[in-house]
Every structure is written in structure tokens, then in C-alpha cells.
Amino acid sequence: MAKKPDWDYALHIKGVTLRTLPVSHLADYLKELVGLMGDDSRPVLDGIVRGSVVVRVKQTGEHPAHTRARLRAAANDPAGPGGKSFIRINSLMARDGARGEIVDRQKVVVLRFVVDKAVAPADLEMIVSDVGTLDGRVVGVVGADDTVHVRLRDHGGI
């Protein structure tokens, strides 16, 4: 006889594994999952499954139907309860190059995270190329913000 699952919801993060996802990123997902479900549901960790990262939680609160409604409403109402956590999980998945969903113990998808590749954070590397001539000696390079100042001394000492 098969054992009945003891968890209520699972956050399935596809495209990453436990070996490729940093622990600090997993902590971010857990924090936002609690915000998404709400403090009233009092979720506790029930396990993490290998393969793609699947975080299973059991809700110990008294209103399970309220949690399901909150999860479904979060995707449609960014200002409502759980909406900010939904947006943050989407941005976390974009950062990690992942996609995902929340399923219940019957494997029914309750909430799907749609990661827009255009929203993924861009690389901060910038290449500047310019052509010109300078006659002098560099005496200082200073930069406190996005600009860099180069000080030159010409042959006359100015």
C-alpha cells in the first residue's frame, strides 16, 4: 500500500538542481514562499526533493482553503496579499534562469510562474571604445560614480 503524502504544497523550481542552486538563493525562495502562502497557514518544511529543486511544505494553520485562494489570487493581484512575493519569486527565477510552479499533493498545478526572459537581469559589463590622441602624461584616474576622470599633464606642465 502506497504511503499517503504528508505535504500540502510543493514549489517546483525547474531548470536548476540542488548542486547548481546556491543555498542563499534557496533561502530566498523559502522566504518568499512563506510570504506567498501567508503567516496564517504557518507552513513548515516537509522536505526537499532531488532532481529539479522541489521544496515541499506542510501547512499547519487551520484554514487550508484560504491558502489555496491566496495562492491563486497572488498571480492576478500584485498589490494583494502574496502579490509581492509572487513578483519576487518570478524575479528570483529570472535571476537563476529557472521556471516553476506550485502544486498540491495531487500534483494539480495551483500557481504557475511565468518568467519573462526580457526581464532577466542584464550583465553589468560595459565596453567603451573610442579613438583619439592625447599628448601628455597621466597623473590621476578618479571615479566615484558612473564617470571616470583622467587627469593629464601636458609637456608645458599644465
Side-chain angles (χ1 to χ4, degrees), residues 59-118:
Q59 102 181 39
T60 58
E62 299 177 9
H63 305 288
H66 174 71
T67 302
R68 182 178 288 272
R70 180 182 167 114
L71 288 171
R72 289 194 171 153
N76 299 321
D77 186 11
K84 290 180 182 175
S85 292
F86 176 78
I87 292 169
R88 287 187 193 124
I89 290 175
N90 270 329
S91 65
L92 291 173
M93 288 189 180
R95 171 192 69 186
D96 295 330
R99 62 194 188 291
E101 59 197 14
I102 294 180
V103 298
D104 63 10
R105 73 174 82 173
Q106 287 83 26
K107 307 287 185 186
V108 174
V109 176
V110 178
L111 181 62
R112 190 175 312 268
F113 297 99
V114 180
V115 179
D116 185 9
K117 298 295 184 190

Side-chain angles (χ1 to χ4, degrees), residues 101-149:
E101 59 197 14
I102 294 180
V103 298
D104 63 10
R105 73 174 82 173
Q106 287 83 26
K107 307 287 185 186
V108 174
V109 176
V110 178
L111 181 62
R112 190 175 312 268
F113 297 99
V114 180
V115 179
D116 185 9
K117 298 295 184 190
V119 179
D123 292 336
L124 297 178
E125 183 177 330
M126 182 172 48
I127 299 172
V128 178
S129 63
D130 195 4
V131 178
T133 59
L134 295 173
D135 193 18
R137 176 181 286 175
V138 176
V139 293
V141 178
V142 190
D145 53 9
D146 290 345
T147 61
V148 176
H149 304 278

Side-chain angles (χ1 to χ4, degrees), residues 29-73:
Y29 283 107
L30 288 172
K31 177 183 171 197
E32 296 307 328
L33 179 60
V34 170
L36 189 61
M37 293 179 69
D39 290 331
D40 294 343
S41 66
R42 295 194 332 242
V44 294
L45 185 65
D46 192 60
I48 299 175
V49 181
R50 291 183 186 222
S52 293
V53 179
V54 180
V55 178
R56 292 181 176 166
V57 293
K58 179 168 180 59
Q59 102 181 39
T60 58
E62 299 177 9
H63 305 288
H66 174 71
T67 302
R68 182 178 288 272
R70 180 182 167 114
L71 288 171
R72 289 194 171 153

